[in-house]
Amino acid sequence: MILIEVAKAEDAKGIRDVLEASFPTPAEADLVDAIVASKHYLPELALVAKDGAEVIGYSLLSECFVGEERILVLAPVAVKPEWQSRGIGARLIEAGIAKAKNTNYSCISVLGHETYYPRFGFELAKNYQIAAPFEVPDVNFMVYSLAEEIPSGVVRYPASFDVV
C-alpha cells in the first residue's frame, strides 16, 4: 500500500535517491537541497510517496513570486523509474493541491508537460497574464488558481533556484 505523507527529516536520503534516479543529472536534487535550506521552503507542502519505509516519490511546493506577491511553484515531482506509470505522481500532485487549498497562496505555477498537468486543473499561465522569466513555450507554463484573484506579471524564482 502506497502512502502519501508530509516529508520528514529522516526522508532526506530517500528523497535524494528518488531525484537522482528520476533525472539525468543531480541538478534537481541540488535544487531541492537549496530550496529546503531557504526561507521559501514550506515543509508542510513537501510530500513523499512511500512503499513501507521506502521513499518512492516526491513532490515539492515552495514559494516564488509574481511581482511582490508570493505564490507557489510545483517543482519537482519525481517517482522512481520502477514505480512510474502507476498513478503515484498524480497522487502526489493531487495531495499537494489539496494542501495548497488550505493556504493563503493565490496560485501554483508549474513548468511541465502540456498534456499532463491540465488534468489536475492547471491552465495556461498566459490566460492569467503570468509569464515565465525565461523563454518557454506557452503550452508548458501553467498555473492552478487557488483564489478568485491572482497576480499578473513575470514569475520570479528565489535565489535557491539558481542552482539549476
Side-chain angles (χ1 to χ4, degrees):
M1 179 176 194
I2 307 303
L3 294 177
I4 306 295
E5 61 187 31
V6 173
K8 300 174 188 75
E10 58 266 23
D11 295 325
K13 183 186 178 328
I15 290 167
R16 186 154 190 104
D17 291 346
V18 166
L19 296 169
E20 289 179 350
S22 302
F23 295 98
T25 72
E28 292 291 329
D30 293 344
L31 170 63
V32 168
D33 288 345
I35 293 170
V36 169
S38 80
K39 67 180 180 181
H40 303 288
Y41 176 60
L42 305 167
E44 68 278 9
L45 297 179
L47 302 176
V48 291
K50 288 185 171 180
D51 177 37
E54 179 188 6
V55 177
I56 60 170
Y58 180 69
S59 71
L60 178 62
L61 288 165
S62 61
E63 289 183 330
C64 67
F65 304 87
V66 172
E68 294 305 311
E69 186 167 335
R70 294 172 190 263
I71 68 167
L72 296 170
V73 56
L74 174 57
V77 176
V79 176
K80 281 186 174 178
E82 63 270 24
W83 287 92
Q84 291 176 2
S85 300
R86 298 187 195 186
I88 296 166
R91 288 182 57 199
L92 284 163
I93 293 166
E94 290 165 349
I97 290 170
K99 286 188 164 293
K101 287 179 178 179
N102 293 319
T103 69
N104 291 323
Y105 294 95
S106 61
C107 66
I108 303 167
S109 67
V110 69
L111 175 60
H113 197 276
E114 68 267 18
T115 62
Y116 185 71
Y117 287 93
R119 73 178 77 169
F120 304 103
F122 284 88
E123 302 174 71
L124 297 178
K126 73 175 188 173
N127 294 347
Y128 292 91
Q129 291 77 48
I130 296 176
F134 41 74
E135 192 70 32
V136 60
D138 288 342
V139 296
N140 299 115
F141 195 64
M142 296 166 262
V143 296
Y144 183 100
S145 178
L146 296 167
E148 284 188 33
E149 290 190 33
I150 64 175
S152 60
V154 177
V155 170
R156 181 171 48 87
Y157 296 103
S160 53
F161 277 75
D162 292 343
V163 300
V164 292

